[in-house]
Amino acid sequence: MSRLFSTGSVLGAGGSKMASNFRKVTHCIFDMDGLLLDTEKLYTEVTQSIADPYGKIYTWEIKQSIMGLQREAAAVAIIEALDLPMTPEEYVRISTEKINQLMGNCKMMPGAERLVRHLHQNNIPIAVATSSGADSVKVKTKNHQEVFELFHHKVMGSSDAEVKEGKPAPDIFLVAASRFPDKPSPDQCLVFEDAPNGVTAGVSAGMQVVMVPDPNVNEDQRKHATVVLNSLEEFQPELFGLPAFK
């Protein structure tokens, strides 16, 4: 059953109240990991495998705090949280090797391909804004190239010099908006995110944010999102002035 929330209030299934609460948008910007691609479980496996030799446990509380961070910032945070005897550079090297081995067969999240294709077919400009680097994105999207080619552009925070600060700073979403040919204002853009840090980044950029969180994400980490859904399958484009599914 759909669970739709708008700035803290539960909304009915009819949608009439929702439509009056949301701004019409013209452009959509998507996070990738955990939102378009089912990679978060694999990231947990990678991190735990690095922590195992030292008898450390990569808990959900730690994971929630680092979701959405750029590669180097995440490495620093994980090393500190788990007290690992390695440098951030060593962690990035080891984790990248493991990620490249695991991520090639990741699947798309429920409803993701349908929504991306729908928006593209209706000429809604779409972009990806991911904290991953270009090398990582290439590995994770290799089996889904047809879908990812539908995006006008991709901003990859860990390897993009124009993204000065990673999520939860707004930089990546502002950069993504600026690279559309018509350069929409932030209030014309709708962000899709799964991570609390990403939601904060989108809101800080002045954009509305559709959140599709992991079920373990705390309720207080969801409250700043414009809408909270269980799955992209529940998204109703017409509530934001976008073409409805047929």
Side-chain angles (χ1 to χ4, degrees):
M1 185 176 180
S2 176
R3 294 192 307 146
L4 301 172
F5 298 83
S6 172
T7 58
S9 61
V10 180
L11 299 169
S16 59
K17 181 178 179 182
M18 297 179 67
S20 64
N21 282 357
F22 304 150
R23 296 192 307 267
K24 179 179 179 179
V25 298
T26 54
H27 298 64
C28 294
I29 304 174
F30 291 80
D31 175 49
M32 187 179 73
D33 290 296
L35 188 282
L36 292 174
L37 293 177
D38 190 6
T39 56
E40 288 299 341
K41 294 176 183 176
L42 299 177
Y43 271 117
T44 299
E45 288 181 28
V46 166
T47 306
Q48 187 57 55
S49 71
I50 296 173
D52 279 340
Y54 307 103
K56 306 292 185 177
I57 303 297
Y58 183 49
T59 65
W60 170 256
E61 287 71 28
I62 297 172
K63 180 180 176 68
Q64 181 172 254
S65 69
I66 64 98
M67 288 174 68
L69 297 184
Q70 291 185 13
R71 180 167 51 195
E72 287 73 15
V76 171
I78 290 170
I79 289 170
E80 181 177 336
L82 297 177
D83 192 25
L84 299 178
M86 61 182 68
T87 65
E89 292 75 19
E90 289 172 326
Y91 183 90
V92 168
R93 177 180 58 79
I94 295 169
S95 64
T96 299
E97 291 174 357
K98 291 177 177 289
I99 287 168
N100 288 344
Q101 294 170 5
L102 281 178
M103 295 292 185
N105 295 317
C106 64
K107 308 297 184 183
M108 294 205 73
M109 295 291 283
E113 181 172 352
R114 171 179 177 248
L115 177 55
V116 169
R117 290 188 181 279
H118 170 75
L119 294 173
H120 182 264
Q121 289 167 0
N122 285 278
N123 299 313
I124 303 300
I126 53 177
V128 170
T130 174
S131 296
S132 294
D135 53 345
S136 176
V137 170
K138 183 177 180 180
V139 170
K140 288 180 280 193
T141 62
K142 71 174 187 177
N143 292 332
H144 309 287
Q145 290 185 16
E146 183 183 353
V147 175
F148 279 87
E149 286 174 357
L150 301 178
F151 291 95
H152 179 267
H153 58 275
K154 304 176 190 69
V155 180
M156 295 163 278
S158 290
S159 56
D160 193 311
E162 197 173 342
V163 181
K164 304 300 184 184
E165 298 289 338
K167 302 172 187 178
D171 301 33
I172 193 167
F173 291 120
L174 294 174
V175 170
S178 74
R179 291 182 183 172
F180 286 115
D182 55 347
K183 301 189 183 303
S185 63
D187 64 358
Q188 293 176 292
C189 299
L190 182 63
V191 167
F192 292 82
E193 264 286 356
D194 69 307
N197 284 324
V199 172
T200 300
V203 171
S204 297
M207 302 174 183
Q208 297 176 101
V209 182
V210 175
M211 186 184 197
V212 188
D214 184 288
N216 292 309
V217 171
N218 299 331
E219 290 297 327
D220 66 342
Q221 295 289 314
R222 306 174 181 216
K223 61 186 180 183
H224 298 300
T226 311
V227 179
V228 177
L229 306 177
N230 295 309
S231 163
L232 285 175
E233 294 175 310
E234 298 178 349
F235 180 63
Q236 300 175 57
E238 63 273 20
L239 300 177
F240 292 90
L242 299 168
F245 288 114
K246 294 181 180 178

